[in-house]
Amino acid sequence: MITTTLSGIITLLPFVILAIVYVLLLHPQKSPNAPFNQKIIVGARVKTKSGIIGRVAKIHESSFILETYDGTLIEMHLNAVEEYL
């Protein structure tokens, strides 16, 4: 009985270790942009991850309208912002 329980625990041990590694190392790396996107305001000059520079013209729930220097309006996802200029 004890050997059956012990072999069951040993069988599950690699999955438990993988779950711990995922939670501690990989999962926290997915959310560093969340606080950054909360700072987006209308009129802010931003650079997107694709290299487009412009001013935020309007903000929606999950996207914003970027106005480039020539007046072109582009709708982009909030996660597209790389930095403020």
Side-chain angles (χ1 to χ4, degrees):
M1 182 84 174
I2 294 176
T3 57
T4 306
T5 306
L6 187 58
S7 68
I9 292 173
I10 291 173
T11 304
L12 293 176
L13 191 60
F15 297 108
V16 172
I17 292 172
L18 284 175
I20 291 171
V21 168
Y22 173 77
V23 169
L24 294 178
L25 298 178
L26 301 177
H27 190 263
Q29 294 177 1
K30 291 184 178 179
S31 61
N33 291 336
F36 182 77
N37 289 334
Q38 301 301 325
K39 300 176 188 176
I40 296 177
I41 58 172
V42 174
R45 192 162 180 248
V46 297
K47 176 184 169 194
T48 66
K49 292 179 182 176
S50 60
I52 301 171
I53 296 174
R55 294 199 185 276
V56 177
K58 189 174 183 180
I59 300 173
H60 301 291
E61 188 173 320
S62 63
S63 64
F64 66 97
I65 305 295
L66 183 71
E67 183 177 4
T68 61
Y69 77 97
D70 64 350
T72 303
L73 299 175
I74 305 169
E75 184 172 7
M76 305 195 86
H77 195 275
L78 290 174
N79 289 336
V81 176
E82 183 175 64
E83 65 179 299
Y84 288 98
L85 304 175

